[in-house]
Amino acid sequence: QNQNALSKFPEPPGNPLLGHVSAITSTTRIISNVSHYIENYGKTVTIRIGPLFFPVLRALVTTDYKFFEFALGGSKILTKSENYQFLRDWLGNGLLISDGDYWKRHRKILTRAFHTEVLKEFIGVFESVGDVLIKKLEKYDGKPSVDVHRLVTLCTLDIICETAMGTKLNVQSGENSRYVESVHQMCRIVIERALSFIRFFNCTFWLSKDYYIQKSALKILHGFTLSVIDSKRNKTVHKETKKMAFLDLLLKVSHDENLLKIDEIQEEVDTFMFEGHDTTASGISFILYCLADLPEEQEKVLQEQKELFGDDKNPRVTYSDLQDMKYLECVIKETFRLYPPVPVIGRLTTEDVKFDDCLIPKNTNIVFFIYGLHRREEFFPEPEKFKPERFQNLDSAFPYAYVPFSAGSRNCIGQRFAMLEIKSVISKIVRNFEIKATFPRHEVQLSVEAVLKSVNGIKVELKKRN
Ligand code: HEM
């Protein structure tokens, strides 16, 4: 029945036995293969894993604006697709993967943790951790190239740890390297399981070496979060102080209103640690990569900084300064159009759903290809060109054409946090360095993992400003 209903959507030619496995299991080929399908067979296509008549899995892949609007803007398709389940061992029932009433209740509670007054308190963390990054980048002054992604990831990990847990991780200074290694291992294992036909199933995963690597990585990750929670709980004072990390706020809610259990708090903090560092690292790195190619746009970003701070390279930046960085905001948005840090998201239908005269049966996985949607010409003329000005007067008639943070009720809860963090870090780098393209120019090789990455790094040249 599932197969018949989905046959209304075209299926690109695939291997009769394996289906489209080879097109979607290599992280570096997903973008080109899916773009090819969409261009040649339709805005929404079906892909298959397994034999033609008895597939293990059929999924829809879409860049159809109307489908994005229907699913993200509506309330019928809120559950995450099956491949998110590989995060469950790490994030438990945290906000990213939970659903139903449990998700609704937690979303309501966690929204308080992203209130403007809370975010304002984090700017000091963005700034001081960003200063350490600047010091590290100074070592590359005048060198032919630096892979910024590696360094930026350590910076964003330090930021998320201090803001989420109120504890310094200091990975930029070489501390807690086992924690960093465990985060990297888990990110790798989760994506490999989602893409591997064999490790998709628990029974085969349990026989693999990665199962044991995951076990020891989780021991370190959960052990760290738990030890921070325990040390804070033992202090038993849950008064509202000025500077509170997400964890302090959640402990306060648990203490005052008994709304969250301790293991639920741990799952949410682990979720922030996962969702709140790789995304921003990808974003910051691609912004630097774009600016390296665009001296004029970079100069405009610098001029905006000079209007705000004169020649001071290390000013005390406030919330309102970050709000005033309007041109930089357009640069960030344009980078996220071309290089969305989260290039695909997945949903699962939990009931039969009618969309555009088609019945999409219960238990259908749907992949929303944000990367492809952002490059559609009807919404973004000259889509391959980097034009920050588009965001000065973006046509609001199509609110679902630009969705780097997703949209609707399951949009990114951390988007304002992320924008402030990214503005703080990028503006600091631009005030201190001229960012140039390497010679020969470094061509990124995009890879669709949990976030958008480049398998050969994201390299630029840095020259310290006088
Ligand atoms: C550039 C940075 C970021 C981007 C592009 C981004 C993007 C997204 C996207 C596309 C989703 C929807 C995922 C889905 O439907 O599967 C999402 C959800 C989420 N994000 Fe972000 N994110 C960013 C930063 C952050 C940060 C800094 C945090 C936390 C501090 C965060 C926490 C979350 C959480 C908890 C969810 C799940 C929300 C829910 O389902 O209710 N994100 N993000």
Side-chain angles (χ1 to χ4, degrees):
Q1 190 209 350
N2 181 319
Q3 196 166 320
N4 286 341
L6 292 186
S7 66
K8 293 216 166 151
F9 298 97
E11 180 177 310
N15 181 300
L17 276 181
L18 299 173
H20 303 92
V21 169
S22 67
I24 54 162
T25 48
S26 154
T27 59
T28 50
R29 294 215 306 265
I30 290 178
I31 287 183
S32 59
N33 287 331
V34 172
S35 301
H36 171 79
Y37 292 160
I38 299 277
E39 236 165 70
N40 293 286
Y41 299 94
K43 287 177 205 157
T44 303
V45 295
T46 32
I47 53 165
R48 160 173 62 85
I49 293 183
L52 192 55
F53 296 110
F54 309 101
V56 178
L57 186 102
R58 261 176 203 276
L60 294 175
V61 181
T62 187
T63 58
D64 183 353
Y65 177 85
K66 283 206 286 184
F67 209 164
F68 271 75
E69 182 178 38
F70 172 76
L72 305 187
S75 56
K76 288 216 162 114
I77 317 182
L78 292 178
T79 298
K80 298 296 172 77
S81 55
E82 284 164 320
N83 47 3
Y84 286 63
Q85 295 313 317
F86 303 123
L87 285 164
R88 198 166 283 282
D89 289 337
W90 182 7
L91 310 183
N93 213 13
L95 200 65
L96 182 67
I97 44 183
S98 57
D99 56 34
D101 288 342
Y102 183 93
W103 164 76
K104 232 185 240 169
R105 189 168 68 80
H106 278 230
R107 175 89 190 193
K108 206 167 156 204
I109 297 168
L110 293 178
T111 298
R112 298 195 214 167
F114 290 89
H115 190 276
T116 306
E117 293 310 311
V118 178
L119 298 183
K120 279 183 183 172
E121 294 299 323
F122 292 153
I123 290 164
V125 177
F126 303 156
E127 287 290 311
S128 61
V129 177
D131 286 339
V132 179
L133 175 66
I134 298 293
K135 282 268 165 292
K136 295 200 80 179
L137 293 177
E138 276 170 0
K139 293 188 195 136
Y140 297 88
D141 177 24
K143 297 255 164 74
S145 85
V146 46
D147 182 354
V148 282
H149 183 253
R150 200 176 46 84
L151 296 167
V152 168
T153 303
L154 298 181
C155 171
T156 57
L157 249 179
D158 272 344
I159 288 179
I160 197 64
C161 189
E162 200 171 337
T163 48
M165 296 197 240
T167 301
K168 286 186 197 294
L169 201 55
N170 289 333
V171 293
Q172 290 195 101
S173 313
E175 294 174 32
N176 289 305
S177 57
R178 288 181 70 206
Y179 187 91
V180 182
E181 180 56 21
S182 304
V183 171
H184 293 332
Q185 292 288 19
M186 280 311 297
C187 290
R188 178 187 64 77
I189 291 171
V190 164
I191 192 72
E192 282 183 8
R193 285 201 72 188
L195 295 176
S196 155
F197 190 43
I198 295 174
R199 272 179 272 182
F200 199 89
F201 304 102
N202 279 339
C203 50
T204 42
F205 175 63
W206 290 335
L207 294 173
S208 73
K209 193 173 156 206
D210 273 348
Y211 171 66
Y212 296 95
I213 297 178
Q214 167 166 312
K215 229 172 146 179
S216 69
L218 288 180
K219 204 168 158 198
I220 291 169
L221 296 176
H222 289 154
F224 186 83
T225 329
L226 259 181
S227 71
V228 177
I229 292 178
D230 277 347
S231 72
K232 296 210 171 215
R233 270 176 80 197
N234 291 339
K235 290 190 185 135
T236 61
V237 194
H238 299 294
K239 286 204 205 99
E240 198 136 358
T241 59
K242 229 178 161 345
K243 197 175 162 201
M244 288 180 108
F246 289 130
L247 174 58
D248 300 310
L249 286 157
L250 300 185
L251 285 171
K252 188 173 177 323
V253 170
S254 152
H255 180 264
D256 296 356
E257 301 164 53
N258 206 13
L259 287 176
L260 288 171
K261 297 197 201 91
I262 291 303
D263 54 341
E264 293 176 338
I265 294 181
Q266 184 195 344
E267 291 174 351
E268 299 304 354
V269 172
D270 283 332
T271 298
F272 290 159
M273 289 298 296
F274 166 70
E275 187 66 18
H277 90 279
D278 237 10
T279 46
T280 45
S282 163
I284 292 170
S285 307
F286 280 107
I287 295 163
L288 295 174
Y289 181 70
C290 290
L291 283 176
D293 270 338
L294 302 158
E296 267 178 41
E297 282 76 1
Q298 190 177 153
E299 187 55 31
K300 285 192 197 167
V301 174
L302 181 65
Q303 283 315 316
E304 186 174 69
Q305 294 300 309
K306 291 198 165 169
E307 278 162 28
L308 285 166
F309 310 114
D311 284 332
D312 191 351
K313 291 203 195 72
N314 298 304
R316 238 184 84 88
V317 176
T318 63
Y319 176 78
S320 110
D321 293 329
L322 294 176
Q323 295 295 96
D324 286 343
M325 296 179 189
K326 301 280 184 221
Y327 186 74
L328 175 57
E329 188 165 315
C330 293
V331 167
I332 296 170
K333 287 182 173 167
E334 180 66 342
T335 308
F336 285 7
R337 183 183 69 78
L338 287 165
Y339 301 103
V342 180
V344 293
I345 55 177
R347 296 278 171 93
L348 180 77
T349 52
T350 50
E351 56 184 296
D352 290 355
V353 174
K354 203 157 177 260
F355 163 68
D356 215 15
D357 288 341
C358 295
L359 182 82
I360 301 173
K362 183 177 169 177
N363 288 333
T364 302
N365 286 284
I366 309 169
V367 179
F368 292 89
F369 187 42
I370 296 178
Y371 181 96
L373 176 72
H374 282 183
R375 288 175 187 241
R376 284 195 36 202
E377 195 154 17
E378 61 265 53
F379 306 117
F380 303 102
E382 298 186 285
E384 302 298 324
K385 273 203 177 158
F386 191 96
K387 295 205 269 184
E389 308 74 43
R390 338 177 172 257
F391 288 96
Q392 280 162 346
N393 37 26
L394 188 69
D395 186 351
S396 57
F398 299 103
Y400 294 90
Y402 179 72
V403 286
F405 293 102
S406 184
S409 56
R410 282 216 88 151
N411 70 352
C412 175
I413 199 169
Q415 67 176 288
R416 289 175 58 236
F417 174 100
M419 284 306 275
L420 291 170
E421 170 183 348
I422 292 170
K423 279 181 171 177
S424 163
V425 173
I426 293 285
S427 61
K428 199 177 273 300
I429 296 176
V430 170
R431 289 195 301 270
N432 283 278
F433 297 96
E434 184 185 349
I435 307 146
K436 294 163 72 169
T438 59
F439 183 79
R441 184 176 177 278
H442 175 70
E443 293 284 348
V444 287
Q445 285 173 26
L446 298 182
S447 167
V448 176
E449 300 176 26
V451 300
L452 189 67
K453 290 195 177 158
S454 162
V455 280
N456 57 341
I458 301 180
K459 297 180 186 165
V460 299
E461 188 188 327
L462 293 175
K463 201 165 154 243
K464 188 110 180 81
R465 294 190 195 275
N466 294 321

